[in-house]
Amino acid sequence: MTVRTAILGYGRSGSTLHADPLEKLKDEFRVVAVCDIERDAREKAANRFNCAIYRDYREMLKTEELDLVVIVTRSNQHCRMTCDCLRSGVNVLVTKPWGINAEEAGQMIAVARESGRMLLPWLPARWGCDLMRLRELVNSGIIGKVFMVRRREFSFGIRSDWQTQKRHGGGYLLNWGPHIIDQAMQLVGEEIKSVHGLLRQVINPGDVEDVFFATLTTTSGIILSCEFTIAIDQLPNWVIQGDRGTIFAKEKSVEIHQTDLPAHMDPTKYSNRPEIKIIREEFDGDHRYGDPFVIYPKISRAISGKIAYPVTVDSALKLTRVLDAVRLSSKKNRVINL
Protein backbone atom coordinates (compact mmCIF):
# COMPACT_ATOMS: atom_id res chain seq x y z
CA MET A 1 0.00 0.00 0.00
CA THR A 2 1.29 3.45 -0.96
CA VAL A 3 0.00 6.04 1.48
CA ARG A 4 -1.51 9.00 -0.38
CA THR A 5 -0.27 11.88 1.71
CA ALA A 6 -0.82 15.62 2.04
CA ILE A 7 1.42 18.02 3.93
CA LEU A 8 -0.46 20.80 5.70
CA GLY A 9 2.10 23.49 6.48
CA TYR A 10 5.18 23.61 4.26
CA GLY A 11 7.42 25.77 6.42
CA ARG A 12 10.79 24.97 7.98
CA SER A 13 9.74 21.65 9.56
CA GLY A 14 7.15 20.64 7.01
CA SER A 15 9.53 21.07 4.08
CA THR A 16 12.44 19.23 5.71
CA LEU A 17 11.74 17.06 8.74
CA HIS A 18 8.60 15.58 7.16
CA ALA A 19 8.94 16.19 3.43
CA ASP A 20 12.41 14.61 3.22
CA PRO A 21 11.38 11.09 4.32
CA LEU A 22 8.10 11.34 2.42
CA GLU A 23 10.09 12.13 -0.73
CA LYS A 24 12.68 9.39 -0.24
CA LEU A 25 10.31 6.60 0.81
CA LYS A 26 8.61 6.43 -2.57
CA ASP A 27 7.43 2.84 -2.19
CA GLU A 28 5.56 3.72 0.99
CA PHE A 29 4.34 7.29 0.50
CA ARG A 30 3.20 9.51 -2.34
CA VAL A 31 2.78 13.22 -1.70
CA VAL A 32 -0.32 14.13 -3.70
CA ALA A 33 -1.01 17.56 -2.20
CA VAL A 34 0.58 20.34 -0.16
CA CYS A 35 -1.29 23.17 1.53
CA ASP A 36 0.27 26.40 2.77
CA ILE A 37 -0.88 30.00 3.07
CA GLU A 38 2.37 31.28 1.52
CA ARG A 39 2.62 31.32 -2.27
CA ASP A 40 6.38 30.76 -2.27
CA ALA A 41 5.99 27.62 -0.16
CA ARG A 42 3.28 26.28 -2.46
CA GLU A 43 5.43 26.87 -5.55
CA LYS A 44 8.42 25.10 -4.00
CA ALA A 45 6.23 22.13 -3.05
CA ALA A 46 4.71 21.91 -6.54
CA ASN A 47 8.16 21.92 -8.15
CA ARG A 48 9.47 19.33 -5.74
CA PHE A 49 6.59 16.83 -5.73
CA ASN A 50 4.68 17.69 -8.91
CA CYS A 51 1.59 17.65 -6.70
CA ALA A 52 -1.60 19.63 -6.27
CA ILE A 53 -1.25 22.75 -4.13
CA TYR A 54 -3.81 24.53 -1.98
CA ARG A 55 -4.10 27.63 0.13
CA ASP A 56 -7.19 26.38 1.99
CA TYR A 57 -6.92 22.92 3.55
CA ARG A 58 -10.70 22.50 3.57
CA GLU A 59 -10.72 22.75 -0.21
CA MET A 60 -7.95 20.16 -0.28
CA LEU A 61 -9.99 17.78 1.86
CA LYS A 62 -12.98 18.14 -0.46
CA THR A 63 -10.93 17.62 -3.61
CA GLU A 64 -8.23 15.05 -2.86
CA GLU A 65 -8.48 11.36 -2.04
CA LEU A 66 -6.12 11.03 0.91
CA ASP A 67 -4.94 8.38 3.34
CA LEU A 68 -2.90 10.70 5.56
CA VAL A 69 -2.55 14.40 6.32
CA VAL A 70 0.65 15.53 8.04
CA ILE A 71 -0.11 18.69 10.02
CA VAL A 72 2.90 20.94 10.60
CA THR A 73 1.33 24.33 11.29
CA ARG A 74 1.20 26.75 14.22
CA SER A 75 0.39 25.06 17.50
CA ASN A 76 -2.92 26.89 17.97
CA GLN A 77 -4.17 25.47 14.64
CA HIS A 78 -3.51 21.80 15.34
CA CYS A 79 -6.73 20.86 17.10
CA ARG A 80 -9.14 22.46 14.62
CA MET A 81 -7.27 21.20 11.57
CA THR A 82 -6.87 17.71 13.01
CA CYS A 83 -10.56 17.41 13.83
CA ASP A 84 -11.56 18.66 10.36
CA CYS A 85 -9.28 16.11 8.68
CA LEU A 86 -10.50 13.26 10.86
CA ARG A 87 -14.13 14.13 10.17
CA SER A 88 -13.31 14.07 6.45
CA GLY A 89 -12.25 10.44 6.86
CA VAL A 90 -8.49 10.99 6.72
CA ASN A 91 -5.84 9.71 9.14
CA VAL A 92 -3.77 12.45 10.76
CA LEU A 93 -0.15 12.75 11.87
CA VAL A 94 0.06 15.94 13.95
CA THR A 95 3.33 17.50 15.00
CA LYS A 96 4.15 18.40 18.58
CA PRO A 97 2.51 19.80 20.54
CA TRP A 98 -0.53 18.04 19.18
CA GLY A 99 -2.73 20.33 21.27
CA ILE A 100 -2.32 23.46 23.36
CA ASN A 101 -3.71 21.65 26.40
CA ALA A 102 -5.42 18.49 27.56
CA GLU A 103 -8.83 19.83 26.59
CA GLU A 104 -7.77 20.09 22.95
CA ALA A 105 -6.08 16.69 23.11
CA GLY A 106 -9.25 15.14 24.49
CA GLN A 107 -11.31 16.72 21.72
CA MET A 108 -9.03 15.27 19.03
CA ILE A 109 -9.12 11.83 20.63
CA ALA A 110 -12.93 11.91 20.75
CA VAL A 111 -13.21 12.90 17.08
CA ALA A 112 -10.73 10.19 16.08
CA ARG A 113 -12.83 7.57 17.84
CA GLU A 114 -16.05 8.88 16.32
CA SER A 115 -14.59 8.94 12.81
CA GLY A 116 -12.76 5.63 13.05
CA ARG A 117 -9.61 7.27 11.68
CA MET A 118 -6.12 7.14 13.16
CA LEU A 119 -4.70 9.99 15.21
CA LEU A 120 -0.90 9.79 15.28
CA PRO A 121 0.94 12.14 17.67
CA TRP A 122 4.42 13.09 16.45
CA LEU A 123 6.82 12.62 19.38
CA PRO A 124 10.05 11.77 17.57
CA ALA A 125 12.34 12.13 20.60
CA ARG A 126 11.01 8.75 21.79
CA TRP A 127 13.27 7.32 19.08
CA GLY A 128 16.23 9.44 20.19
CA CYS A 129 19.54 7.58 20.15
CA ASP A 130 20.32 8.92 23.63
CA LEU A 131 17.03 7.80 25.18
CA MET A 132 17.22 4.32 23.68
CA ARG A 133 20.78 3.67 24.90
CA LEU A 134 20.21 5.23 28.32
CA ARG A 135 17.14 3.06 28.78
CA GLU A 136 19.28 -0.02 28.07
CA LEU A 137 21.88 1.09 30.60
CA VAL A 138 19.31 1.83 33.30
CA ASN A 139 17.50 -1.47 32.72
CA SER A 140 20.83 -3.33 32.96
CA GLY A 141 21.17 -2.21 36.57
CA ILE A 142 24.67 -0.85 36.02
CA ILE A 143 24.00 2.13 38.30
CA GLY A 144 21.60 0.33 40.60
CA LYS A 145 18.21 1.75 41.48
CA VAL A 146 17.58 5.12 39.84
CA PHE A 147 16.31 7.83 42.15
CA MET A 148 16.83 10.98 40.04
CA VAL A 149 16.95 11.95 36.36
CA ARG A 150 18.08 15.36 35.16
CA ARG A 151 17.32 16.31 31.52
CA ARG A 152 18.44 19.69 30.18
CA GLU A 153 18.92 21.70 27.01
CA PHE A 154 20.55 25.11 26.68
CA SER A 155 20.67 27.92 24.14
CA PHE A 156 21.38 31.60 23.67
CA GLY A 157 19.41 31.58 20.43
CA ILE A 158 16.86 34.38 20.09
CA ARG A 159 13.65 33.72 18.17
CA SER A 160 11.34 36.28 16.65
CA ASP A 161 8.77 34.05 14.94
CA TRP A 162 5.30 32.88 15.98
CA GLN A 163 6.83 30.72 18.71
CA THR A 164 7.19 33.90 20.79
CA GLN A 165 3.44 34.63 20.70
CA LYS A 166 0.88 33.19 23.11
CA ARG A 167 -1.96 33.65 20.63
CA HIS A 168 -0.22 31.20 18.27
CA GLY A 169 0.45 28.61 20.96
CA GLY A 170 4.10 29.61 21.28
CA GLY A 171 6.46 29.25 24.21
CA TYR A 172 9.25 26.86 25.00
CA LEU A 173 7.23 24.62 27.29
CA LEU A 174 5.07 23.47 24.36
CA ASN A 175 8.01 23.58 21.95
CA TRP A 176 10.66 21.76 24.02
CA GLY A 177 8.59 20.03 26.69
CA PRO A 178 7.40 17.31 24.27
CA HIS A 179 11.07 16.50 23.73
CA ILE A 180 12.86 16.70 27.06
CA ILE A 181 10.07 16.21 29.61
CA ASP A 182 8.66 13.33 27.62
CA GLN A 183 12.09 11.68 27.29
CA ALA A 184 12.58 11.75 31.06
CA MET A 185 9.11 10.26 31.55
CA GLN A 186 9.77 7.56 28.96
CA LEU A 187 13.09 6.65 30.55
CA VAL A 188 11.60 5.79 33.94
CA GLY A 189 8.25 4.52 32.64
CA GLU A 190 6.25 5.44 35.73
CA GLU A 191 3.13 7.50 36.36
CA ILE A 192 3.72 11.08 37.48
CA LYS A 193 2.34 11.85 40.93
CA SER A 194 3.16 15.55 41.35
CA VAL A 195 4.54 18.47 39.35
CA HIS A 196 6.24 21.74 40.18
CA GLY A 197 7.02 24.21 37.40
CA LEU A 198 8.56 27.60 36.81
CA LEU A 199 8.27 29.59 33.56
CA ARG A 200 10.25 32.74 32.73
CA GLN A 201 10.79 35.07 29.78
CA VAL A 202 14.46 36.05 29.61
CA ILE A 203 15.75 37.11 26.17
CA ASN A 204 13.11 36.42 23.54
CA PRO A 205 10.60 39.03 22.41
CA GLY A 206 6.89 38.32 22.59
CA ASP A 207 4.74 37.34 25.55
CA VAL A 208 5.65 33.72 26.37
CA GLU A 209 8.39 31.89 28.25
CA ASP A 210 11.77 31.04 26.77
CA VAL A 211 12.90 29.24 29.94
CA PHE A 212 11.16 26.52 31.93
CA PHE A 213 12.01 24.35 34.90
CA ALA A 214 9.92 21.31 35.81
CA THR A 215 10.28 18.92 38.71
CA LEU A 216 8.20 15.76 38.45
CA THR A 217 7.85 13.05 41.06
CA THR A 218 6.78 9.54 40.06
CA THR A 219 4.59 7.19 42.04
CA SER A 220 7.67 5.37 43.39
CA GLY A 221 9.40 8.62 44.31
CA ILE A 222 11.84 9.06 41.40
CA ILE A 223 12.55 12.75 40.81
CA LEU A 224 12.69 14.06 37.24
CA SER A 225 14.28 17.48 36.82
CA CYS A 226 13.75 18.94 33.33
CA GLU A 227 14.69 22.34 32.02
CA PHE A 228 15.25 24.44 28.97
CA THR A 229 17.31 27.47 29.89
CA ILE A 230 19.40 30.32 28.55
CA ALA A 231 23.03 29.28 28.92
CA ILE A 232 26.13 28.21 27.07
CA ASP A 233 25.75 24.45 26.71
CA GLN A 234 28.59 23.21 28.88
CA LEU A 235 26.56 21.16 31.34
CA PRO A 236 25.44 17.55 30.64
CA ASN A 237 22.18 17.01 28.79
CA TRP A 238 21.49 14.00 31.01
CA VAL A 239 22.47 13.11 34.56
CA ILE A 240 20.95 9.83 35.77
CA GLN A 241 21.60 9.06 39.42
CA GLY A 242 21.35 5.60 40.93
CA ASP A 243 22.35 4.07 44.25
CA ARG A 244 25.30 2.33 42.55
CA GLY A 245 26.49 5.03 40.17
CA THR A 246 25.74 7.95 37.87
CA ILE A 247 25.42 8.34 34.11
CA PHE A 248 26.46 11.59 32.45
CA ALA A 249 25.60 12.29 28.80
CA LYS A 250 26.61 15.33 26.76
CA GLU A 251 25.71 15.41 23.07
CA LYS A 252 27.07 12.02 21.81
CA SER A 253 29.39 11.28 24.73
CA VAL A 254 28.42 9.07 27.66
CA GLU A 255 30.23 8.44 30.95
CA ILE A 256 29.05 5.72 33.33
CA HIS A 257 30.44 6.12 36.85
CA GLN A 258 29.77 2.79 38.52
CA THR A 259 30.55 1.47 41.97
CA ASP A 260 29.67 -1.23 44.47
CA LEU A 261 29.19 -0.11 48.03
CA PRO A 262 31.33 -1.97 50.58
CA ALA A 263 29.63 -4.85 52.35
CA HIS A 264 30.95 -3.66 55.71
CA MET A 265 31.35 -0.08 56.82
CA ASP A 266 34.28 1.05 58.98
CA PRO A 267 32.69 2.91 61.90
CA THR A 268 35.99 4.67 62.66
CA LYS A 269 35.93 6.51 59.33
CA TYR A 270 33.95 9.68 58.69
CA SER A 271 33.03 8.47 55.19
CA ASN A 272 33.29 5.09 53.50
CA ARG A 273 33.95 6.06 49.88
CA PRO A 274 34.03 3.18 47.42
CA GLU A 275 36.19 2.92 44.33
CA ILE A 276 34.61 4.38 41.18
CA LYS A 277 34.87 2.68 37.80
CA ILE A 278 34.37 4.93 34.76
CA ILE A 279 33.14 3.56 31.44
CA ARG A 280 33.08 5.82 28.37
CA GLU A 281 31.16 5.34 25.15
CA GLU A 282 29.29 7.27 22.47
CA PHE A 283 25.69 7.06 21.37
CA ASP A 284 25.18 5.06 18.20
CA GLY A 285 23.78 7.65 15.80
CA ASP A 286 23.34 11.39 15.51
CA HIS A 287 19.59 11.64 15.99
CA ARG A 288 19.03 12.67 19.61
CA TYR A 289 15.50 13.73 18.68
CA GLY A 290 14.68 10.76 16.49
CA ASP A 291 15.44 9.91 12.88
CA PRO A 292 12.37 10.60 10.68
CA PHE A 293 13.65 8.06 8.15
CA VAL A 294 13.27 5.43 10.88
CA ILE A 295 9.92 6.72 12.15
CA TYR A 296 8.07 7.19 8.87
CA PRO A 297 8.18 3.51 7.82
CA LYS A 298 6.43 2.74 11.11
CA ILE A 299 3.77 5.30 10.20
CA SER A 300 3.27 3.59 6.83
CA ARG A 301 2.92 0.19 8.49
CA ALA A 302 0.51 1.59 11.05
CA ILE A 303 -1.69 3.17 8.35
CA SER A 304 -1.77 -0.14 6.46
CA GLY A 305 -2.74 -2.01 9.63
CA LYS A 306 0.45 -4.05 9.94
CA ILE A 307 1.51 -2.66 13.34
CA ALA A 308 0.19 -0.45 16.07
CA TYR A 309 1.65 3.04 16.01
CA PRO A 310 4.22 3.12 18.85
CA VAL A 311 3.04 6.48 20.24
CA THR A 312 -0.42 5.90 21.70
CA VAL A 313 -2.87 8.73 22.19
CA ASP A 314 -3.14 7.80 25.86
CA SER A 315 0.60 8.24 26.42
CA ALA A 316 0.56 11.54 24.53
CA LEU A 317 -2.39 12.71 26.64
CA LYS A 318 -0.46 11.91 29.85
CA LEU A 319 2.37 14.11 28.63
CA THR A 320 -0.03 16.95 27.80
CA ARG A 321 -1.54 16.77 31.28
CA VAL A 322 1.95 17.04 32.77
CA LEU A 323 2.72 20.09 30.60
CA ASP A 324 -0.58 21.64 31.73
CA ALA A 325 0.44 21.00 35.33
CA VAL A 326 3.85 22.65 34.81
CA ARG A 327 2.15 25.79 33.52
CA LEU A 328 -0.47 25.80 36.27
CA SER A 329 2.18 25.25 38.94
CA SER A 330 4.15 28.24 37.70
CA LYS A 331 1.02 30.39 37.68
CA LYS A 332 -0.14 29.30 41.14
CA ASN A 333 3.34 28.95 42.66
CA ARG A 334 2.53 25.56 44.16
CA VAL A 335 2.93 21.84 43.58
CA ILE A 336 0.21 20.28 41.41
CA ASN A 337 -0.90 16.77 42.33
CA LEU A 338 -2.06 14.63 39.42
Side-chain angles (χ1 to χ4, degrees), residues 181-251:
I181 293 179
D182 187 59
Q183 280 194 328
M185 291 171 58
Q186 295 303 311
L187 179 69
V188 299
E190 293 186 7
E191 298 291 322
I192 303 302
K193 181 176 66 175
S194 64
V195 175
H196 183 264
L198 182 64
L199 309 183
R200 289 290 185 270
Q201 184 181 13
V202 179
I203 62 173
N204 274 355
D207 58 357
V208 289
E209 78 284 344
D210 52 17
V211 163
F212 69 80
F213 304 87
T215 302
L216 321 178
T217 305
T218 73
T219 51
S220 74
I222 300 174
I223 301 168
L224 311 181
S225 174
C226 306
E227 69 176 86
F228 187 97
T229 192
I230 305 301
I232 299 298
D233 54 354
Q234 296 295 315
L235 295 174
N237 302 115
W238 292 88
V239 179
I240 306 171
Q241 298 168 243
D243 61 6
R244 294 294 185 273
T246 307
I247 300 172
F248 301 89
K250 174 62 181 167
E251 298 292 342

Side-chain angles (χ1 to χ4, degrees), residues 241-282:
Q241 298 168 243
D243 61 6
R244 294 294 185 273
T246 307
I247 300 172
F248 301 89
K250 174 62 181 167
E251 298 292 342
K252 291 189 65 174
S253 299
V254 185
E255 280 192 6
I256 304 139
H257 294 230
Q258 193 270 337
T259 189
D260 291 311
L261 298 179
H264 302 286
M265 302 298 179
D266 185 346
T268 65
K269 291 184 177 180
Y270 170 73
S271 176
N272 291 265
R273 300 193 65 173
E275 181 180 349
I276 304 296
K277 177 183 179 181
I278 300 178
I279 304 168
R280 293 181 175 88
E281 62 175 68
E282 288 196 350

